[in-house]
Amino acid sequence: METAVVLLSGGLDSATCLAMARAEGFRCHTIAFDYGQRTRSELQAAERVSAALGAESHRVIELGMGGIGGSALTDHAIDVPENGGEGIPVTYVPARNTVFLSLALGLAEVVGADAIFIGVNAVDYSGYPDCRPEFIDAFQHLAGLATKAGVEGHPVRISTPLMALSKAEIIRRGTGLGLDYSLTVSCYQADGEGRACGRCDSCRLRREGFEQALIKDPTIYQS
């Protein structure tokens, strides 16, 4: 049985990614990041999902990305946009996936993982530059150069099974694997009980995904 490290935010995409890794027969270790985000309810969701899907271990790594700022998710002085807009939104956290994948790569070496699963998507997404195939390809090259495993000829594989799927396709895939989406939290500004605002970009993408998939949305909203 192969081993995988799965980045688990507590949201819909990363939970589906974990379900898919398990379905492929991987023994999974999950990793979440307390990076100064607005809501801690997604960290609680990550713990629930990891336990429900039988991960071998679950780690929460503390990061001080709030000290950098520059994002509505880590700086409370910047409002989370609710009306869309052009370009990369202010919910982009500078270099977030680069940092997350680097730490996941370290864990992969420690647990002897064959792959790292990350739920990035380049179809129904907010336009973040670190969710694109080009970024993943570059990081895969780095993983081969920067690690003992890579130098010895068996680099950790970066797996992105959701990259080319629409949100509706992701939801259908997870539902088919028996994933309970009521365990997940996707909202950028969910309250302490995990209830979604229903207005941010992440809420919109999630809601539209369930509508297009013709599957009932289990999201609980604040109002």
Side-chain angles (χ1 to χ4, degrees), residues 58-114:
H58 179 66
R59 291 169 172 79
V60 179
I61 308 299
E62 293 188 10
L63 299 172
M65 299 188 80
I68 298 173
S71 168
L73 299 192
T74 58
D75 185 344
H76 286 261
I78 304 174
D79 292 333
V80 173
E82 298 179 351
N83 299 312
E86 298 295 325
I88 299 170
V90 294
T91 51
Y92 163 66
V93 180
R96 179 174 60 177
N97 282 345
T98 304
V99 173
F100 287 3
L101 276 172
S102 296
L103 290 166
L105 185 60
L107 177 59
E109 285 217 284
V110 170
V111 301
D114 304 278

Side-chain angles (χ1 to χ4, degrees), residues 39 41-42 185-191 194-200 202-203 206 222:
T39 175
S41 57
E42 67 178 23
V185 173
S186 299
C187 179
Y188 290 146
Q189 47 191 355
D191 64 16
R195 296 178 299 182
C197 73
R199 301 181 301 276
C200 69
S202 186
C203 279
R206 179 177 172 122
Q222 295 168 22

Side-chain angles (χ1 to χ4, degrees), residues 108-163:
E109 285 217 284
V110 170
V111 301
D114 304 278
I116 295 172
F117 280 72
I118 180 171
V120 291
N121 176 265
V123 179
D124 289 335
Y125 77 126
S126 298
Y128 299 156
D130 54 1
C131 288
R132 298 174 301 154
E134 297 91 332
F135 166 72
I136 297 299
D137 289 344
F139 196 91
Q140 180 69 76
H141 180 66
L142 180 149
L145 296 174
T147 61
K148 179 176 181 288
V151 170
E152 292 178 348
H154 44 90
V156 177
R157 183 174 75 258
I158 312 299
S159 181
T160 58
L162 311 186
M163 182 64 79

Side-chain angles (χ1 to χ4, degrees), residues 9 33-40 42-43 73-74 76 188:
S9 70
F33 299 95
D34 182 355
Y35 62 92
Q37 60 267 57
R38 281 177 176 263
T39 175
R40 298 191 62 81
E42 67 178 23
L43 291 171
L73 299 192
T74 58
H76 286 261
Y188 290 146

Side-chain angles (χ1 to χ4, degrees), residues 149-189:
V151 170
E152 292 178 348
H154 44 90
V156 177
R157 183 174 75 258
I158 312 299
S159 181
T160 58
L162 311 186
M163 182 64 79
L165 300 181
S166 69
K167 193 68 73 178
E169 289 171 329
I170 292 169
I171 291 168
R172 292 193 196 103
R173 191 72 59 88
T175 300
L177 293 172
L179 179 58
D180 180 2
Y181 282 114
S182 70
L183 298 174
T184 66
V185 173
S186 299
C187 179
Y188 290 146
Q189 47 191 355

